[in-house]
Amino acid sequence: MPKNKITAVLGPTNTGKTHLAIDTMLSFDSGMIGFPLRLLAREVYDKVIKKISIDKVALITGEEKIIPTNAKYYLCTVESMPIEKHLEFVGIDEIQMCADHERGHIFTDRLLNLRGEKLTMLMGSSTIKNIISKLNEDLEFINRDRLSKLTYAGHKKISRINRKTAIIAFSAEEVYAIAELIRRQKGGAAIVMGSLSPKTRNAQVELYQSGDVDFLVATDAIGMGINMDLDYVYFSNLKKFDGKKLRKLNLSEIGQIAGRAGRYLNDGGFGITGDCKEISPEEVELIEGHKFEEIRTLFWRNSDLNFNNPNSLIKSLEERPQMEWLRKVHECEDERALKYFIKDEKNNLEFNERTLKLLWECCQIPDFVKKTYGNHYEVIRNVFKFLNSEKGLISEDYMRLQLMKLDKLEGNVDSLSNRIANVRTWSYVSNKNNWVENQNYWIEKTKHLEDRLSDRLHEELTKTFIDKRASILARGLKQDMEFKTEILKNNDVKIDDQFIGKIKGLKLELDLKKGSLETDIKSLKKAARQSIGPEFDKRIQSIVDTGLIDLKEDFKIYWNEFPIARLLPGNDYLSPNFTLVVDDIIEQNPKQKLNDFIQKWLNSKISDVLKSLIDLKNIKEDKSSIKALAYQLYENNGVLKREKVSDYLKNLEQIDRKVLRELGVKFGRYHVFLYQLIKPDAVSLRTLLWKNFHQKFYNLKPPTFGLNFLEDKDSQNKNFMLLCGFEKFDNLFVRIDILERLFVQIINATSKENNEIKMIPEMLNLLGCSKENFKKLLQKMGYKIYEKEQDMFFKYNPVKKFKKIQNKKVSNENPFKVLKNLKLG
């Protein structure tokens, strides 16, 4: 690594580090600064173009590229810095981000490998000074002291917080709830979150800066260099979800956010509000003095990748650092995606250096949406397919289709934010060189759509957050008030005389008005949890005590006409899984009680109704001949065509048959089956479980119970009809136990002299079919029909059709004569 002049400008917030970097960059003929946020890059770009000619300044982020032909100065996100450029000045802002477990390896790569030809400037917290000093280069440290004093203000209720204050929360739900509370008590608040687009965020900040509102509700996004005129910062919480777990903020993070209070020479204060736990005196002293624990290791990932083949690429990604103060980053999202697609057999590709580089570039498309599992990989897959095709570009038709889905202005804050996140994906794709047809058009199109959605989101954010009902509930929740709850006979629910919804079974259906924000749902659910939870507990106990539940054809288990659980496929069709259909208000213990009860009830129902099949599955027999036939019968849902198991039957002795008969097995002339399974309850349950296991055939219904004969011109699924206990003869179906009884009547009516059989009324009555249909059935079974002396007779006539129905090895001898001589059960 060549020797190079590096200046590290270190210190707490409000020390003018970024301002110094901008001025230093503009003193050189060319330069670039990498920022941790797209918002910050845009903010600095807007400042710089006011100082010098706009045609000399470029803005480069993942989703936005403004690059004039004669650009000399580049304002970028750290990830988007054009590292191949040779510029006199290079700056990296918030360099302590090298220790961030998600993005740190990018910052570390810039720290180690990116240099200005004349000067490299690193701006950030003093906590990283010890690490920077380990670089074997020409180092200069500039320690900056805070321009104003930061003082702890203790705890205050939101109602007593002074104007020009930011209140910090760590989830969108909390931000909305606090903003609504301030709206009711203080007149309104602007909102700043990292997920907002620059246009929405700037519009919200302008509301605050212009004095239209006196308060700001924000996430920790304001901690990264976003400058506003704030006197105080109050924390509503000191815990955040970092993508893996809920954890407490460390002191340097608290200091970074708190330091946004007091700009330039104006002193600032920080404190806590709501249910936030106290900060200890020792911690307060460290934050006020900006004394934080030193960073000991930086996250690192090898950037010198080997694209010769998939194994070499993965191996190079997994390479470990040589220096003890570098720590290999845990598998990142792009690396995880790469491994997925390399192993994905659907690709059907032989990866070479070109395709691997292309795939790696596609895997680095950021997942802006995050909430929809699998959707991001689908985006990567489709982009890669286009780029790896003969044309090598994403088609305009495909881009148009993606944006059409997102070009909708209706919805609440969350849905609009989600659309903007999706648009950002396609904005990123459009801004990649040579990725889309008609690139300039789609860059402009995605920017225009993001701006429109951003304007709409700004409107939605500045509207009333919660209606009167939700305001009452939110206030009551914050003040720990006891709610007056009524559950009316029609299951309507009222809390403090406000109608909030209906209880349907074990779910609360909230009365959400058009355009309801997440805050409405949050407040309603919190109030409901406090007030309606005991009612759900009582209902669960009633279900357990009475057992009055029922499994219906839609695969749901019902109580009082409402579903409380839904079947899911299990290991086999007799062992289904299920999921509860209950409200998330219900606590874990009663939910577990209900789960255990339904599991027991379901097992019992299957064991009772399908006892003979369960017994067959669990048969305790050592003889292979019995076990083999039992297994075949179980695997075929209790019904087998005799021809398919003829070899098994030959090996059965009478004592073996007796064992199986005692389990309910019927050895018929045409089928071997469990006769108990032909009963209506058993057929209903078996077919339902069968469809649930296969997750298809939903349109197939068992024949009406009581029918012995069925003509179906639509030709029902043969396997399904056999499951229902019906044998198929082209488009005619006969219940298999009735077919056995018909065979008995035919045998008894067969003339010993000439094998002639007289058609008798009992045969028609047994089947319950017309004479014409009975004649059709006989013909399909291989009989020749004729009249004699005004009576109808039939005689066995072996034909190909009957051979097909029976099997190819059937003899020309009357099968009923043969079967009659067999020892059948």
Side-chain angles (χ1 to χ4, degrees), residues 586-629:
I586 298 173
E587 299 291 344
Q588 184 58 38
N589 286 343
K591 198 181 288 184
Q592 189 61 49
K593 180 193 288 186
L594 179 65
N595 192 87
D596 294 344
F597 169 75
I598 290 178
Q599 185 69 69
K600 185 177 177 182
W601 177 88
L602 192 57
N603 292 343
S604 177
K605 181 178 180 67
I606 294 171
S607 297
D608 291 345
V609 178
L610 305 180
K611 183 178 185 303
S612 57
L613 196 56
I614 300 295
D615 289 347
L616 199 69
K617 179 184 179 183
N618 301 325
I619 189 170
K620 304 289 188 206
E621 274 292 334
D622 294 330
K623 289 189 72 172
S624 59
S625 56
I626 296 177
K627 286 174 71 176
L629 185 61

Side-chain angles (χ1 to χ4, degrees), residues 401-419:
L401 180 63
Q402 302 315 305
L403 295 189
M404 275 175 58
K405 299 173 188 174
L406 304 171
D407 196 358
K408 300 171 187 172
L409 297 180
E410 69 275 4
N412 61 19
V413 169
D414 282 342
S415 59
L416 289 166
S417 297
N418 184 268
R419 270 178 232 140

Side-chain angles (χ1 to χ4, degrees), residues 126-144:
S126 300
T127 55
I128 199 172
K129 183 175 182 178
N130 184 50
I131 293 285
I132 293 176
S133 65
K134 296 178 185 292
L135 297 175
N136 185 26
E137 300 188 53
D138 182 7
L139 289 168
E140 176 192 12
F141 288 99
I142 299 176
N143 297 315
R144 300 289 291 244

Side-chain angles (χ1 to χ4, degrees), residues 221-330:
I222 71 164
M224 285 293 173
I226 300 176
N227 299 316
M228 280 161 286
D229 185 16
L230 291 168
D231 287 345
Y232 292 94
V233 169
Y234 278 86
F235 293 87
S236 69
N237 203 335
L238 290 175
K239 291 183 178 179
K240 67 176 284 187
F241 184 73
D242 64 4
K244 293 184 178 179
K245 62 183 179 180
L246 189 68
R247 65 170 179 83
K248 186 178 177 181
L249 298 177
N250 60 51
L251 287 187
S252 63
E253 289 173 318
I254 297 172
Q256 183 81 14
I257 299 165
R260 294 299 151 196
R263 302 312 298 162
Y264 194 49
L265 299 176
N266 297 322
D267 292 341
F270 70 99
I272 55 175
T273 187
D275 297 327
C276 186
K277 291 187 177 179
E278 286 285 347
I279 303 174
S280 72
E282 294 79 16
E283 291 173 328
V284 167
E285 184 179 348
L286 292 172
I287 294 169
E288 288 179 338
H290 319 295
K291 297 173 182 176
F292 306 116
E293 187 177 352
E294 283 187 353
I295 294 171
R296 299 184 185 281
T297 56
L298 308 183
F299 283 106
W300 176 90
R301 183 173 74 182
N302 182 25
S303 57
D304 184 18
L305 302 181
N306 184 337
F307 291 95
N308 286 339
N309 57 63
N311 288 336
S312 64
L313 176 55
I314 291 171
K315 187 176 179 181
S316 63
L317 274 168
E318 293 176 344
E319 187 175 314
R320 298 199 166 274
Q322 300 298 313
M323 289 170 277
E324 74 279 358
W325 46 274
L326 294 178
R327 175 181 171 190
K328 169 77 172 66
V329 72
H330 182 69

Side-chain angles (χ1 to χ4, degrees), residues 63 365-369 376 379 420-430:
E63 308 96 283
I365 298 171
D367 183 6
F368 295 112
V369 183
H376 182 57
V379 168
I420 290 173
N422 277 283
V423 172
R424 288 177 70 187
T425 298
W426 298 113
S427 182
Y428 177 94
V429 168
S430 300

Side-chain angles (χ1 to χ4, degrees), residues 321-547:
Q322 300 298 313
M323 289 170 277
E324 74 279 358
W325 46 274
L326 294 178
R327 175 181 171 190
K328 169 77 172 66
V329 72
H330 182 69
E331 187 178 68
C332 299
E333 185 59 45
D334 54 2
E335 187 179 340
R336 197 175 301 121
L338 176 76
K339 291 176 180 176
Y340 171 83
F341 285 108
I342 284 176
K343 291 178 182 177
D344 186 8
E345 295 177 358
K346 295 177 188 173
N347 284 328
N348 216 4
L349 285 172
E350 288 188 14
F351 288 107
N352 54 36
E353 184 175 353
R354 186 195 70 82
T355 54
L356 277 174
K357 283 183 176 178
L358 183 60
L359 178 61
W360 177 236
E361 204 171 355
C362 292
C363 289
Q364 291 179 297
I365 298 171
D367 183 6
F368 295 112
V369 183
K370 289 185 171 66
K371 297 176 184 176
T372 313
Y373 179 76
N375 182 61
H376 182 57
Y377 281 13
E378 196 60 29
V379 168
I380 295 172
R381 185 191 305 280
N382 290 331
V383 169
F384 177 70
K385 278 184 180 178
F386 275 109
L387 299 181
N388 196 43
S389 65
E390 187 176 339
K391 195 168 186 180
L393 292 171
I394 301 168
S395 72
E396 290 203 80
D397 287 343
Y398 182 76
M399 288 295 295
R400 191 172 292 109
L401 180 63
Q402 302 315 305
L403 295 189
M404 275 175 58
K405 299 173 188 174
L406 304 171
D407 196 358
K408 300 171 187 172
L409 297 180
E410 69 275 4
N412 61 19
V413 169
D414 282 342
S415 59
L416 289 166
S417 297
N418 184 268
R419 270 178 232 140
I420 290 173
N422 277 283
V423 172
R424 288 177 70 187
T425 298
W426 298 113
S427 182
Y428 177 94
V429 168
S430 300
N431 275 283
K432 294 291 286 185
N433 285 334
N434 300 318
W435 270 27
V436 297
E437 291 180 339
N438 198 2
Q439 182 179 17
N440 290 336
Y441 172 80
W442 290 109
I443 288 174
E444 190 59 36
K445 185 77 174 175
T446 51
K447 185 178 186 309
H448 179 65
L449 179 54
E450 183 180 325
D451 285 347
R452 287 175 59 231
L453 288 168
S454 297
D455 289 340
R456 178 71 188 87
L457 178 57
H458 174 60
E459 289 174 18
E460 194 65 26
L461 285 169
T462 52
K463 276 169 50 176
T464 303
F465 281 99
I466 306 177
D467 60 21
K468 180 185 176 184
R469 172 190 65 187
S471 300
I472 290 171
L473 297 176
R475 186 183 297 114
L477 287 165
K478 288 295 180 185
Q479 298 174 6
D480 292 328
M481 289 166 52
E482 285 290 327
F483 291 113
K484 174 192 166 189
T485 304
E486 295 176 274
I487 301 172
L488 308 181
K489 288 184 178 178
N490 63 353
N491 282 319
D492 281 3
V493 179
K494 284 188 172 184
I495 295 182
D496 280 15
D497 295 324
Q498 301 291 322
F499 173 69
I500 72 158
K502 276 181 172 288
I503 294 182
K504 293 187 174 181
L506 293 175
K507 283 188 81 71
L508 172 63
E509 190 177 272
L510 294 174
D511 175 48
L512 299 176
K513 298 179 180 178
K514 187 177 180 181
S516 294
L517 291 174
E518 186 65 27
T519 2
D520 299 335
I521 303 168
K522 185 83 172 177
S523 296
L524 288 171
K525 285 198 170 182
K526 275 190 175 180
R529 180 170 280 108
Q530 181 189 108
S531 306
I532 303 168
E535 170 65 18
F536 281 134
D537 293 352
K538 190 169 76 174
R539 290 185 175 207
I540 288 173
Q541 192 58 53
S542 174
I543 292 169
V544 172
D545 291 343
T546 63

